Amino acid sequence: MELLPPTEAAKPQSVVQSIPVLTGKTNENIESPNEEFSNETSDDEMSNMVSDEDQFVDVEDSDTYTDSERPPTVLVRGRPYTELPSGVIELQQGQLFNDVNHFRQILRDFTIQEGFALNRVKNESHRVTVKCKAEGCTWRVHASPTADGLTYKIKSYNGEHTCRKLTKNEEANATWIANRYGSLIRSNPDMKISLLETNLRQKYGLVVSTWKLYRAKQKALESAGEDHKASFKNCTNMAI
C-alpha cells in the first residue's frame, strides 16, 4: 500500500507578489554588494546578471502601514519560489523566499528529494552557503537577504552533482518525517510503522531505521496533543 504525503504538508507559498516588469530607469544596485565567496565569479557579480525571466517584485505589505507612515516601496529583482504541480522541487539562481527559515526548509526538502548530504559552510541569518558533502562534488548554493532585509534570494547556484544518491540521509530526521507525515499519522494513529517505511523508500529512496520511524510517529502524535490543548485553552478563554 503506497501512502501519499498529506496536502497539509505542502511547502509554504511565497508571500512576495509579482508586479509587471518596470520600464524606464531603475536602480540596478538595490542589493547589498558586500558579500564574497572564493570562486571565479563572485556571488554578487552573479546576482547582478539579469535573466530574461527575472521580475521586479514589491515586497512591502500594503496593509501594515497607514498612508502617513508608509515607507518607500522596496523593489527586489528575482522570481518568487513556487512549487511545481508535480510536487518536485527545483532550485534556480534568482529565486526568492519569504525569509531565511523558508529557504532552509525548502533546501532540506530538496536535499532529501535529490538524495545527498549538506556541508553547511555558512548558515547564518545574513548568509547561507552550502555544498554537497561528498568529496569532489561541485554542487553548491549561496543565498542571502535582499534589500528589504528579510526576503531571501539565491545569489549563485551550481546544480550539477558528481556523486551517488544516498539511501541513508541525516537530513531526513524524525522531526522532518513527523512534519511531512504528521496529518496522515494523526488521522491514522494506529497505522503501522512499516507503511511509513515503505513510502519513504518508494518516494525518496530512503532506508530509515525502525527507531527513527517510531520517534517520528511519537512526535506527530505529541503535536496533536499540543494542538488539542491549545484549542481547549482558546475555547476556555472565549467562554470566560
Side-chain angles (χ1 to χ4, degrees):
M1 175 179 178
E2 181 179 354
L3 303 179
L4 296 177
T7 56
E8 291 80 359
K11 303 168 190 62
Q13 297 297 316
S14 177
V15 298
V16 291
Q17 299 296 321
S18 299
I19 63 172
V21 176
L22 301 180
T23 59
K25 185 177 180 180
T26 59
N27 184 356
E28 295 296 330
N29 298 312
I30 56 177
E31 299 184 71
S32 175
N34 59 358
E35 302 169 54
E36 294 182 358
F37 193 89
S38 56
N39 206 344
E40 294 181 0
T41 304
S42 72
D43 292 305
D44 295 299
E45 289 173 335
M46 296 184 74
S47 70
N48 288 327
M49 298 177 184
V50 184
S51 165
D52 291 338
E53 298 179 357
D54 275 348
Q55 307 167 16
F56 284 92
V57 295
D58 182 351
V59 297
E60 175 196 337
D61 183 356
S62 59
D63 296 329
T64 304
Y65 306 96
T66 64
D67 290 337
S68 61
E69 60 184 6
R70 188 180 306 279
T73 297
V74 177
L75 295 178
V76 176
R77 186 171 60 228
R79 298 179 300 280
Y81 169 80
T82 55
E83 182 179 319
L84 298 176
S86 62
V88 174
I89 300 172
E90 288 187 359
L91 298 183
Q92 297 176 354
Q93 182 180 326
Q95 280 178 325
L96 302 175
F97 301 83
N98 298 347
D99 52 31
V100 65
N101 292 325
H102 183 207
F103 173 68
R104 286 170 177 159
Q105 176 189 343
I106 299 301
L107 181 61
R108 179 186 289 267
D109 290 344
F110 177 79
T111 300
I112 296 170
Q113 170 189 286
E114 298 300 310
F116 67 97
L118 289 179
N119 175 17
R120 293 173 171 86
V121 181
K122 299 289 183 182
N123 190 26
E124 304 161 351
S125 60
H126 65 280
R127 59 179 173 177
V128 175
T129 302
V130 295
K131 296 181 177 181
C132 179
K133 205 169 188 177
E135 184 177 355
C137 186
T138 59
W139 186 93
R140 169 185 168 276
V141 63
H142 171 80
S144 60
T146 55
D148 70 333
L150 180 66
T151 307
Y152 239 67
K153 178 179 179 180
I154 294 180
K155 301 293 184 64
S156 64
Y157 181 56
N158 179 2
E160 182 179 358
H161 273 288
T162 57
C163 59
R164 298 176 60 183
K165 188 171 184 178
L166 301 176
T167 57
K168 293 184 179 181
N169 196 329
E170 59 190 19
E171 300 295 333
N173 54 28
T175 299
W176 181 85
I177 297 172
N179 291 335
R180 177 65 56 174
Y181 294 92
S183 295
L184 180 63
I185 293 172
R186 289 188 288 270
S187 299
N188 304 274
D190 296 325
M191 70 178 298
K192 295 182 178 180
I193 294 298
S194 59
L195 296 179
L196 283 178
E197 180 183 17
T198 299
N199 186 257
L200 286 164
R201 184 176 63 250
Q202 292 178 346
K203 185 174 179 62
Y204 300 103
L206 291 173
V207 176
V208 183
S209 68
T210 300
W211 178 88
K212 185 181 289 187
L213 292 173
Y214 272 113
R215 181 61 182 143
K217 182 178 180 181
Q218 181 182 5
K219 280 178 171 286
L221 294 177
E222 288 175 352
S223 175
E226 292 301 320
D227 291 344
H228 177 73
K229 290 179 183 178
S231 298
F232 179 78
K233 183 177 180 180
N234 289 336
C235 290
T236 302
N237 292 337
M238 292 175 64
I240 295 176

